[in-house]
Amino acid sequence: MAVNIKPMADYVVVKADEAQAKTASGIYLPDQAKEKPKSATVVAVGKDVNEVKVGDRIIYKNEYEATEVKNGKEEYTVVYKKNIIATVK
């Protein structure tokens, strides 16, 4: 996936996972009630980021410090590397 966004120093550009439309018990949720995902796939990394690489799935914290950007029709999130709390295998 080619991205025209190049993050600076210690930032990471991610593509957020889709919000769940259905609960574990089978109840469908309207768009307003869907929980914003905090897991994503890394699509670009800044030069000072060694902990993750493009293609890694991550979990990040504090969505209010993340910056959402639109590049064409695609939506991405720019996350500071210290807000990445785990990778998902």
Side-chain angles (χ1 to χ4, degrees):
M1 173 183 323
V3 178
N4 295 333
I5 303 169
K6 182 177 179 185
M8 303 304 290
D10 44 8
Y11 285 89
V12 177
V13 178
V14 298
K15 177 79 171 152
D17 293 341
E18 291 292 320
Q20 295 296 323
K22 186 169 88 169
T23 66
S25 61
I27 298 171
Y28 285 92
L29 301 171
D31 287 339
Q32 299 85 353
K34 291 180 186 174
E35 183 178 320
K36 283 203 168 207
K38 292 186 182 177
S39 61
T41 302
V42 176
V43 295
V45 295
K47 64 180 178 75
D48 295 337
V49 178
N50 299 320
E51 296 84 354
V52 296
K53 62 186 182 313
V54 173
D56 284 352
R57 289 199 57 237
I58 63 161
I59 298 172
Y60 61 96
K61 67 178 180 174
N62 201 348
E63 66 188 50
Y64 301 108
E65 289 184 16
T67 303
E68 295 180 1
V69 291
K70 205 166 196 179
N71 186 20
K73 295 181 181 178
E74 296 292 324
E75 291 185 19
Y76 299 98
T77 305
V78 180
V79 179
Y80 186 55
K81 77 174 182 179
K82 294 205 184 254
N83 288 340
I84 298 172
I85 57 176
T87 58
V88 180
K89 300 290 179 185

